[in-house]
Amino acid sequence: MKAWMRSARKATCKSLGLALTLVAAATSAVAQNGPVKLGVLTDMSSLYADNGGQGSVVAAQMAVDDFKGRVLGREIQIVAGDHQNKADIGSVIARRWLENENVEAILDVPNSAVALAVQGITRDKKKLFLATGAATSRLTGDECSPTGIHWTYDTYALSQGATKAISKLGAKTWFFLSADYSLGAQLEADSRKVIDATGGKVVGAVKHPINTPDFSSFLLQAQASKADVIALADAGGDFINAVKQAGEFGVTRGQKLAGLIVFIADIHSLGLPSAQGLMLSSAFYWDLNDETRAWSKRFIAKTGKVPTMIHAGTYGAVMHYLKAVEAAGTLDGPTVADKMRELPVNDFMTRNGKIRQDGRLVRDMYLFRVKSPEQSKYRFDYYELLATIPGEEAFKPMEDGGCPFLKKS
């Protein structure tokens, strides 16, 4: 009897082992032959939803469609998630995608704290992170990654454009109103360096919680400082609310407001009467040339909204990633990342762009002034181009970034 039971147990164990082997083989086959999944991790419901959000999903799908929907003989699929501007939620989604759902690359992530968390996860998993929505320059600095590509813009480039331009117009004293998380801290830090270099002085600073509805106490402190410029080191809904409330408090009658990270969706929400005269730095404007207009008209037809630089960047990053996968003949993260660095970037947004070893896409940036209502002649006619800033001037030199893995190469 005991011998029979032992034999039965052995048979059961063998059957179970065979079943597990078959399941593993089937899972592996699905991973190798199923769709190539790209995950757009974004803000679907809060202060960055207009700048990224569903528009980033649409832009990514436009790139997939333009690539004819397949790569290496497999269907390409876009999946989307809402990080809710919380690093823990973003991390859970990123891990689930990479570990359980065979996602090959993560895109967008318009929140610097969430982006830094995702960069760490993708670095460990050797998967691609195409940061098209995040701003912090730490993504190519102390938190850089061999499989991380910082695509659209960063805090250094934005502060270089706006802060330098305003300083040249005679502004000497500054007060910072900064969002109390990674984005605000990095924007302020990068801008302070420019102010110091141009002989200006920071006379005060205050931090505000992310997504706060009430800026009154912060704006009163800024007003009391009598600074020439109040620099808004925040974005999305925070930037919009700060500008609106500054107007209500009469702050702008004696002081200039400077937005350090401004999207065209913000200007659309504010309206030209409130936003006119604001100078800003941007990586993209829909009405810049024939190519930007052609792509933007397609985007507007699908969404009814004007595309932001995040939307344009997401399209470009997906397209370049797919070209690199095809050229490399593999989905292996480090191999594809190397191929992305090797290939020049050319699309409606970027001319002869180059991805450096630290992951920074070096491309031109632009300085714009928001038009007055009288200057605007048609729908979304919001910006006047003041200057084109060459990429080599706009972005921090790689040797100054502090990317640790460069020392090992």
Side-chain angles (χ1 to χ4, degrees), residues 18-273:
L18 178 60
L20 291 172
T21 300
L22 291 172
V23 169
T27 302
S28 177
V30 169
Q32 293 176 10
N33 301 311
V36 175
K37 294 182 181 179
L38 309 181
V40 177
L41 184 57
T42 188
D43 176 358
M44 290 289 192
S45 54
S46 189
L47 71 168
Y48 305 133
D50 287 337
N51 298 330
Q54 186 61 33
S56 291
V57 180
V58 171
Q61 187 62 53
M62 286 173 66
V64 170
D65 293 344
D66 287 350
F67 204 77
K68 308 305 182 187
R70 299 183 72 82
V71 67
L72 303 183
R74 295 163 59 180
E75 177 192 357
I76 307 163
Q77 185 180 105
I78 300 297
V79 298
D82 184 356
H83 59 52
Q84 300 176 44
N85 292 298
K86 296 178 181 177
D88 56 345
I89 292 176
S91 296
V92 167
I93 295 172
R95 288 188 184 281
R96 185 183 76 237
W97 279 353
L98 300 180
E99 294 174 359
N100 302 326
E101 299 181 18
N102 302 314
V103 169
E104 298 294 341
I106 296 177
L107 298 110
D108 195 2
V109 196
N111 179 299
S112 290
V114 182
L116 290 168
V118 171
Q119 177 104 311
I121 294 167
T122 52
R123 182 172 54 230
D124 292 343
K125 300 293 182 183
K126 295 182 170 54
K127 296 291 186 178
L128 267 293
F129 176 34
L130 310 179
T132 57
T136 178
S137 56
R138 292 183 63 196
L139 289 169
T140 53
D142 63 316
E143 289 291 340
C144 67
S145 165
T147 55
I149 309 294
H150 202 177
W151 191 268
T152 312
Y153 57 92
D154 65 21
T155 50
Y156 182 92
L158 294 172
S159 61
Q160 285 287 303
T163 312
K164 272 186 179 178
I166 295 168
S167 295
K168 286 179 180 178
L169 292 177
K172 297 297 183 185
T173 56
W174 297 70
F175 186 100
F176 280 92
L177 182 55
S178 305
D180 192 11
Y181 76 111
S182 303
L183 168 71
Q186 198 66 54
L187 269 176
E188 182 177 331
D190 287 337
S191 296
R192 281 176 176 264
K193 292 175 183 176
V194 176
I195 293 166
D196 288 344
T198 55
K201 182 180 180 182
V202 177
V203 297
V206 64
K207 298 185 183 300
H208 68 78
I210 186 173
N211 211 15
T212 183
D214 184 6
F215 282 85
S216 57
S217 65
F218 310 118
L219 288 168
L220 289 172
Q221 290 181 61
Q223 190 175 38
S225 74
K226 300 188 185 303
D228 296 334
V229 181
I230 300 171
L232 302 176
D234 52 18
D238 282 336
F239 169 78
I240 292 168
N241 286 335
V243 173
K244 285 181 177 177
Q245 292 177 38
E248 293 167 4
F249 279 96
V251 173
T252 52
R253 292 183 196 134
Q255 295 166 292
K256 291 185 178 68
L257 284 183
L260 299 181
I261 176 169
V262 182
F263 296 87
I264 197 166
D266 304 332
I267 302 303
H268 182 72
S269 179
L270 283 166
L272 294 183

Side-chain angles (χ1 to χ4, degrees), residues 319-374:
M319 185 62 75
H320 192 68
Y321 168 80
L322 294 174
K323 288 178 181 177
V325 167
E326 190 171 65
T330 180
L331 290 169
D332 177 69
T335 303
V336 175
D338 287 344
K339 183 60 69 173
M340 290 183 74
R341 288 177 169 88
E342 178 185 324
L343 298 174
V345 180
N346 280 295
D347 58 34
F348 66 89
M349 179 184 181
T350 304
R351 282 283 169 271
N352 297 315
K354 177 68 178 175
I355 300 171
R356 301 186 312 206
Q357 284 305 303
D358 63 353
R360 175 69 259 163
L361 170 58
V362 178
R363 51 177 308 286
D364 291 348
M365 295 286 290
Y366 305 98
L367 183 68
F368 297 105
R369 179 187 288 120
V370 178
K371 292 183 175 182
S372 67
E374 295 74 27

Side-chain angles (χ1 to χ4, degrees), residues 296-317:
S296 298
K297 286 176 181 177
R298 291 172 55 205
F299 181 91
I300 293 167
K302 291 177 180 292
T303 65
K305 297 181 178 180
V306 61
T308 69
M309 56 180 164
I310 292 178
H311 300 146
T314 298
Y315 175 97

